[in-house]
Each structure stands twice: as C-alpha cells, then as structure tokens.
Amino acid sequence: MLSNLQLFLLALVLSIFNWLMTFLGSSLVYFVKSKSQKLVSIALGLAAGIMIAATFFSLLLPAIQQVEDHLLLLFLIPLVFFSGGLFLRLCDKFLPHEHIISHQKEGPTNTLSKNKLLLLAMTLHNIPEGLAVGIAIASVKTNLVPALILSIGIGIQNFPEGTAISLPLHESGISRFKAMMYGQYSALVEIPSALLGFLFAQLFSSILPFALSFAAGAMMFVCIEELIPEANALKEVDVGTMSFMVGFMIMMMLDIMFG
C-alpha cells in the first residue's frame, strides 16, 4: 500500500505524462504537410472512444462497486454523474470558446481571436481529465491497476487530441511552432486539476465514489458535446465513427488485460 505522499507524487507524474502525450501529438504539425481535416476527425474520434470507455470502466464501475451494498447511495451515483455534466454545461455557457472543425462559437460575446477561443475550448475540456486522474489515484486502496489504466488511457487519447488542436491552428495561418505550443498549452491545466482532484478526494474520502461519478459525468459531457460532433463534422461521417470504435476498443482491451 502506497502512502498518501507517494500517491500524490504518482498523480503528479501521471498528469505530467498526460501533458507530455499532448505535446507529442501537437508536434505532428511538423510532419503533416497539407491540410487534413480527415486526420483531425480521426484524432477526435479516437480520443472520444477512449474517454467514454474510461468513463465506464475506470470511473463509473468502481464508483458503483464501492457503494453496491448501500441501496440509497447507489441511486445517488447517477445523480452525481448528471451533476458532473451539468457543471461542464455551465462552464460552456459562461466561458467563451470555439469548436475545432465546425468553428461554432459558444459562451458570452467577446473579442478574443479564433486561436485563443480554440485553445480555451480544449483547455476547458481537459479539466475533467485531470480531475479524473487525481480522483482515481486518491481512490486507490489495495489495487493501483484501475487508476493506472485510466491514466494511461487518457495519456493515449491526449496524443490524437494534441494533433486535433495543433493542425487546425496551423491551417488557420499561424506558424507550426506556435500551433504546437498552443496545442500543448491546453493540456497544462491537467496537472493542477489532477493535484486538486487528488487533494479534494483525500480530504473528503467518504465521498470518493461520488467524486469518481462526478468526473465521469464531466468527461461524458466533453465527449458528447465536443469530441463526437466534431469528429463527425466532415461529410465522411463514418471516419469519425469508426475511429471512435477503435478508441473504445483500445481502452476496453487495456481493461481486459490489466483490470
């Protein structure tokens, strides 16, 4: 059994790993020589598939298992799950941002540039990923594997997500270097989010199942509201859908092999 300090450091290391994967994905902007919305669609589909699978296998199922002997608490899990999505809905409403492919703007009227709006969108949607990692690590009692699977899965999906940010930014006219830097900036928020999620879950350990459920709802909202529609924004809708299936399969296989 790891000490609280060791678990805190593990949450820090894993959140840095997730940021690094985003950075590596963003660096692909140097290797893709022409506009490729299809590649962005594939990247978003993969990210959505992995995130939704992680929501089920690594967050909701452990939350349910922790309270399955208490019927009342068990019925609270879906309500808290919904509240996680509602929280992200409120963030969407009050923070300005722009979708990657469709370029639909949301939030209050503002004078921010398109690049900053895109960056804000992905930064906002990376917060639940960081929270999920920190809360999952804090929930570790005897078995660290489920939390590691979740963290690795989020790291894997951060790679295509970084690509999905940097390519549209470069195609909008900014340099490859700036596009890469903007892409990795969006994932920096995962580090403090993971640490805050960990500390919160440690301080209020009795609500761990509900913290897991809240993070699951927030991640699900991101996928349904942002990643899946954007992955299918092209005319070739099956590209995003099949990429989603592959991403879900990857996370499912990780859970089968190591769960």
Side-chain angles (χ1 to χ4, degrees), residues 100-167:
I100 294 174
I101 296 180
S102 65
H103 297 296
Q104 177 184 348
K105 294 183 179 180
E106 289 188 309
T109 304
N110 62 88
T111 57
L112 295 175
S113 68
K114 179 186 294 186
N115 295 338
K116 289 181 180 178
L117 288 173
L118 287 172
L119 178 62
L120 276 173
M122 298 315 297
T123 299
L124 168 64
H125 292 164
N126 274 323
I127 292 174
E129 297 174 17
L131 287 173
V133 170
I135 293 169
I137 296 297
S139 69
V140 168
K141 293 181 180 178
T142 57
N143 186 5
L144 188 61
V145 173
L148 289 177
I149 291 173
L150 170 67
S151 302
I152 292 169
I154 289 177
I156 292 172
Q157 71 90 31
N158 273 359
F159 186 90
E161 196 171 81
T163 304
I165 301 167
S166 59
L167 285 182

